[in-house]
Amino acid sequence: MKLFKPHEVNYALILPIFLLFLLSIAVQYGASLLDGADPRPVVLRQLFFCILAAIALWGGSLFSTTFLLRFSGLFYLLSLGLMTLLYWFYDPIMFELTHTKRWMRIGSFTLQPSEIMKLAFVLFMVYLTLLYEKKQRQRTIKSDCLYVGKILLYSLPTFLLMFMQRDFGTSLVFIVMLGALFVISGVHWKLLTAMFSLLAVIGGLLLLLVFTDWGNTILFRLHFKPYQLDRVKAWADPFAFQDSIAYQQVQSMWAIGSGGLLGANAGHQSVYVPVRESDMIFTVIGETFGFLGSSLVIFLYFYLIYQIIFAALRTNNKAAVYLSITFVFGLVFQIFENIGAAIGLLPLTGIPLPFLSQGGTALIAIGLSLGIILGLEKNDSHEKSALKK
């Protein structure tokens, strides 16, 4: 572990991270004002987690890729254990609000183990991928099938826990990250085509089941809940259900639309949006800053993504590239899904908007992940291989 020297700091990557930290405090303040609540405790809480995320950012930058991958299996097992505890020790208040067992309460704070699992999952799957490539000098469709099967087998406990916790939205993030890893690691195109075709068929079949009575019966027997099906129906025709199952999404679209080009004025009557501070935080940006401000926020995200990819490619290290690209695809999916749901483009899944949605665990996990990426270029210059012992 080596500290950064001033000339080694990637300021181009730190800049968007710092701006998003500041923006997260501003939008949480705005959410409180729009809801008519006292913003001071919310701002102090968000500031506290931003400071912890900044510490995690610094701490993550100290570790080399070799060290992280060597202990990725242990990190993965510990994360699985933490998620398993949710089966018994989930937060009943959050369960009543969200119908998912995603949170564990510790005093006045809540912990979300799935956010920690995202980093552990990426590290361990990249480690398995590098081991496969090291042992398999000449890749074939057969060897790639065995590799994919092994990855899916090791991923199975995560998806089973996601299923038990009724956390379909986060499961999609893991699927996207796996897909990105398969593509970037060079899995044979025929196998990729077969897998993506299978996913498309499953997606189409699920939509058919959602919109038919007999299909609903099958889904209920598979332990799907009515609110999960309602989210898809609300997405298909939100204004037909604006007084019931689509109320949140319709209110979100009204709120964003009320911001106009430059944002609503001070005398504007705020549109009420349920869970504005979390799943619907983008409504604060749309209503307060308008179309122009919303576009700048999206641009800031893309600038961050560009800097992450550029930093990884500059290392000329396969492990660094795999880690960064896999993480980036998960990040992009969360951004696209959250904003898409807020504007009615996609169904609601409960996926938070990175940095900006309320949630300390997610903010700290993102800080740690970006810290690891921030340290790739410095640390990997002293390493010959990410898998050498």
Side-chain angles (χ1 to χ4, degrees):
M1 302 181 189
K2 297 190 178 183
L3 296 176
F4 278 107
K5 297 177 181 178
H7 68 276
E8 293 178 326
V9 177
N10 188 342
Y11 295 104
L13 178 54
I14 288 179
L15 177 62
I17 297 172
F18 177 72
L19 291 177
L20 285 166
F21 280 156
L22 291 180
L23 184 60
S24 72
I25 297 172
V27 295
Q28 288 300 324
Y29 173 81
S32 298
L33 287 183
L34 291 172
D35 290 338
D38 182 4
R40 286 174 295 182
V42 175
V43 169
L44 289 175
R45 179 188 178 93
Q46 193 69 13
L47 177 61
F48 172 71
F49 282 119
C50 283
I51 292 172
L52 289 183
I55 294 173
L57 181 78
W58 171 77
S61 69
L62 302 179
F63 295 98
S64 69
T65 312
T66 299
F67 177 85
L68 292 167
L69 293 178
R70 187 172 296 167
F71 292 97
S72 61
L74 178 61
F75 188 21
Y76 184 61
L77 286 175
L78 290 174
S79 299
L80 284 175
L82 192 59
M83 289 184 65
T84 303
L85 290 177
L86 282 174
Y87 189 73
W88 299 281
F89 301 108
Y90 62 89
D91 184 356
I93 298 175
M94 296 302 296
F95 178 75
E96 287 296 323
L97 291 173
T98 65
H99 305 286
T100 60
K101 300 177 181 179
R102 295 166 59 183
W103 289 271
M104 183 185 298
R105 181 163 293 278
I106 303 174
S108 60
F109 295 98
T110 55
L111 175 68
Q112 197 170 350
S114 60
E115 295 297 332
I116 301 171
M117 173 55 82
K118 289 176 185 177
L119 177 58
F121 185 84
V122 169
L123 286 170
F124 188 51
M125 296 308 147
V126 168
Y127 174 73
L128 293 176
T129 301
L130 293 172
L131 279 182
Y132 163 69
E133 292 183 349
K134 185 179 180 181
K135 295 177 180 178
Q136 195 72 37
R137 295 183 178 180
Q138 187 172 0
R139 298 176 61 162
T140 62
I141 295 182
K142 182 179 179 180
S143 65
D144 278 355
C145 283
L146 292 174
Y147 155 69
V148 170
K150 183 178 180 180
I151 290 290
L152 294 178
L153 182 63
Y154 277 106
S155 304
L156 187 60
T158 300
F159 288 108
L160 287 176
L161 288 169
M162 290 284 105
F163 179 77
M164 288 191 296
Q165 294 167 16
R166 306 176 187 177
D167 193 356
F168 176 70
T170 307
S171 298
L172 293 176
V173 179
F174 286 102
I175 291 173
V176 168
M177 291 192 296
L178 270 186
L181 180 59
F182 290 154
V183 172
I184 195 68
S185 63
V187 170
H188 198 282
W189 68 270
K190 291 183 179 179
L191 184 56
L192 288 175
T193 301
M195 288 191 294
F196 292 144
S197 298
L198 179 61
L199 286 175
V201 171
I202 293 174
L205 180 60
L206 284 174
L207 287 176
L208 176 64
L209 295 176
V210 168
F211 291 104
T212 57
D213 292 334
W214 59 270
N216 283 195
T217 303
I218 294 174
L219 291 176
F220 291 149
R221 288 178 179 174
L222 293 173
H223 302 290
F224 281 82
K225 301 300 176 182
Y227 79 91
Q228 294 175 314
L229 308 189
D230 288 345
R231 284 179 172 179
V232 181
K233 295 173 183 177
W235 159 68
D237 191 3
F239 289 98
F241 303 97
Q242 60 182 327
D243 296 324
S244 56
I245 60 177
Y247 178 74
Q248 185 184 31
Q249 198 157 27
V250 171
Q251 291 297 104
S252 170
M253 289 188 282
W254 282 123
I256 293 173
S258 69
L261 180 63
L262 300 175
N265 56 47
H268 166 74
Q269 181 64 42
S270 173
V271 178
Y272 171 70
V273 181
V275 203
R276 188 196 297 270
E277 74 285 350
S278 182
D279 297 350
M280 290 299 177
I281 196 64
F282 192 73
T283 63
V284 179
I285 298 169
E287 189 170 348
T288 308
F289 304 114
F291 175 79
L292 183 59
S294 301
S295 300
L296 288 175
V297 171
I298 294 173
F299 173 78
L300 182 59
Y301 274 123
F302 277 102
Y303 178 71
L304 171 66
I305 291 163
Y306 166 76
Q307 288 299 335
I308 292 173
I309 296 173
F310 186 64
L313 293 177
R314 283 200 305 184
T315 65
N316 198 29
N317 182 296
K318 185 181 289 188
V321 173
Y322 284 4
L323 284 171
S324 300
I325 298 300
T326 306
F327 172 77
V328 159
F329 268 81
L331 190 67
V332 169
F333 177 76
Q334 291 178 82
I335 296 168
F336 183 73
E337 163 55 32
N338 183 278
I339 296 177
I343 62 177
L345 183 65
L346 296 171
L348 291 170
T349 59
I351 293 176
L353 186 59
F355 287 97
L356 305 186
S357 291
Q358 190 179 81
T361 310
L363 197 59
I364 294 170
I366 289 176
L368 181 59
S369 301
L370 289 173
I372 292 170
I373 293 171
L374 190 65
L376 288 176
E377 194 171 359
K378 171 184 73 73
N379 292 316
D380 288 332
S381 64
H382 306 287
E383 303 289 346
K384 293 182 178 181
S385 170
L387 290 176
K388 278 189 177 180
K389 295 183 180 179

